[in-house]
Amino acid sequence: MSENEHDVEEQAFLEEVTAHLPSDWSDERRNTYVQNVLTSWRKHRTHSRDELQSREKYLSTIRQYFKSQSPELYDFKQWPINENLLAMLARGSLDSDIVNQIQSTGVYTFSFLPTTFCQTLINEIAYFEQWCVDNGLELYRPNSMNKYGVILDHFGFDKCLNDIVNNIVEPLTRLVFTHVIPPLDSHHGFIVEYAMDKDRKLDFHVDDAAVTLNVCLGTDFTGGQLYFGGVRCVSHISNTKPRTDEEIYLEHQVGTACIHLGNHRHRAMPITSGRRLNLILWCRSANFYAVENNHGNNTCPTWCGFHQIEKKEDI
Ligand SMILES: O=C(O)CCC(=O)C(=O)O
Ligand SMILES: [Fe+2]
């Protein structure tokens, strides 16, 4: 970015700040306030740019030097996805023997991948993590909540995950989450890892996604169920309790996937032994994002679990 563009950026920020200052402030008070805000904004901008630069450097090192031990994993066409699921999606109609909704909660499970393939994927992840250690590269963790695991998009899985979104998640979304407006136009794909000496659980949260695909890859473990506690719109996310009929505990099974709305509140229960690795694909939709936030107003949409309660109580 040129110096001139910096000025434009700074100018726009200043205009935004000054537009909202109380009109009875003296010039001196205004100047002091604006200078302070500007100083911390500049620091933040420098920090963001530094972070962006070091991330670019990290990604380009991986692109240049990392050589996969199982290249076939990176090609969606070579993923041995459950044939029945693929046939169902080709037919374009839901078959509850293949994709099973759990107790009308809006969480759907299906058999997805053979366990042998899941193990090859786990081996590749371990290989990449070791390669990073050997080359002095610090891993980026999947998100602000998980301390272990890796971001798959960082080491070559971007295209393959994009194909999974387009060929699996989006067609499924059209069948089961009809209020989510396609296309699912971006994603964040990562591995979460739990073990007794690492993260054991994940707190109650919603995902930064319209729809999430969660695939259990392994290994041997007990505990670690996925608890769901109701779909909520932005207005009702943190101030409404789950109803009993919304609460489910999903047991993970290696090779099995579940799909749920990003704003379906959930947590991972503590594992009680072993090690669990799951592939998580957060799928986003720019179209849905606007609807999800009610185009900026606070009305509760029909798909919110709390909205349905209000409706029922009205009757
Ligand atoms: O641990 C899991 O299976 C779920 C992880 C999860 O919810 C997330 O990373 O957003
Ligand atoms: Fe999540």
Side-chain angles (χ1 to χ4, degrees):
M1 202 184 262
S2 72
E3 272 311 310
N4 200 24
E5 278 172 301
H6 290 176
D7 289 346
V8 171
E9 198 182 20
E10 190 166 302
Q11 200 56 42
F13 175 72
L14 274 177
E15 277 167 25
E16 173 91 358
V17 170
T18 48
H20 299 102
L21 294 182
S23 53
D24 59 348
W25 278 17
S26 67
D27 283 351
E28 192 188 346
R29 190 169 178 190
R30 286 174 89 83
N31 284 341
T32 312
Y33 177 82
V34 169
Q35 278 315 316
N36 286 342
V37 172
L38 200 56
T39 306
S40 65
W41 180 79
R42 282 181 182 143
K43 264 194 210 142
H44 176 75
R45 186 177 63 179
T46 309
H47 179 69
S48 311
R49 292 213 177 114
D50 289 350
E51 275 200 348
L52 204 66
Q53 258 184 8
S54 72
R55 202 176 77 116
E56 278 309 316
K57 196 165 160 234
Y58 168 80
L59 293 180
S60 101
T61 307
I62 294 169
R63 265 196 303 270
Q64 229 180 321
Y65 300 109
F66 175 65
K67 297 278 171 280
S68 141
Q69 67 173 4
S70 304
E72 74 283 0
L73 291 175
Y74 296 76
D75 177 5
F76 172 71
K77 288 196 212 78
Q78 298 194 50
W79 278 45
I81 291 173
N82 173 8
E83 293 287 344
N84 291 334
L85 176 73
L86 293 176
M88 187 202 85
L89 293 176
R91 288 194 299 275
S93 60
L94 195 63
D95 179 342
S96 59
D97 287 337
I98 297 166
V99 174
N100 172 39
Q101 181 174 193
I102 304 175
Q103 296 164 25
S104 313
T105 53
V107 178
Y108 295 82
T109 63
F110 47 93
S111 170
F112 191 48
L113 290 166
T115 53
T116 46
F117 183 84
C118 294
Q119 188 55 53
T120 316
L121 206 46
I122 288 181
N123 295 345
E124 178 74 5
I125 290 149
Y127 181 73
F128 172 69
E129 286 183 311
Q130 189 56 48
W131 180 85
C132 285
V133 172
D134 295 346
N135 290 280
L137 290 184
E138 204 170 315
L139 280 164
Y140 278 70
R141 293 310 174 186
N143 54 53
S144 59
M145 303 177 295
N146 299 86
K147 286 206 288 296
Y148 298 89
V150 293
I151 299 178
L152 292 168
D153 295 311
H154 279 180
F155 61 105
F157 278 101
D158 191 22
K159 160 95 178 57
C160 177
L161 294 180
N162 212 25
D163 288 340
I164 294 180
V165 175
N166 292 335
N167 291 284
I168 309 289
V169 185
E170 193 173 304
L172 260 178
T173 297
R174 286 178 197 271
L175 292 176
V176 299
F177 302 130
T178 46
H179 67 283
V180 175
I181 304 167
L184 296 174
D185 40 27
S186 65
H187 72 260
H188 178 52
F190 53 95
I191 299 291
V192 288
E193 181 182 358
Y194 305 87
M196 299 305 278
D197 59 347
K198 296 185 171 173
D199 286 336
R200 288 186 51 212
K201 64 178 174 69
L202 190 63
D203 291 336
F204 204 39
H205 68 280
V206 290
D207 296 338
D208 181 8
V211 176
T212 296
L213 175 77
N214 179 333
V215 190
C216 184
L217 301 179
T219 51
D220 278 336
F221 60 89
T222 54
Q225 299 87 346
L226 213 49
Y227 163 88
F228 287 90
V231 177
R232 292 293 185 273
C233 70
V234 275
S235 313
H236 294 130
I237 260 175
S238 52
N239 55 2
T240 61
K241 288 194 178 131
R243 298 190 311 270
T244 328
D245 63 306
E246 289 180 311
E247 294 190 297
I248 47 160
Y249 290 84
L250 180 67
E251 294 282 348
H252 287 288
Q253 239 185 307
V254 177
T256 295
C258 82
I259 187 172
H260 61 84
L261 289 168
N263 48 24
H264 201 153
R265 303 177 301 179
H266 55 287
R267 69 159 54 95
M269 303 305 288
I271 58 159
T272 45
S273 71
R275 181 167 168 254
R276 174 165 79 82
L277 286 101
N278 280 47
L279 184 162
I280 311 288
L281 190 54
W282 286 354
C283 308
R284 295 166 179 148
S285 153
N287 287 333
F288 181 59
Y289 185 72
V291 177
E292 193 183 20
N293 290 295
N294 307 321
H295 301 282
N297 74 52
N298 275 340
T299 51
C300 173
T302 49
W303 47 260
C304 171
F306 198 72
H307 181 93
Q308 285 156 6
I309 283 266
E310 283 175 325
K311 278 264 180 272
K312 275 183 203 149
E313 284 175 356
D314 282 352
I315 292 167

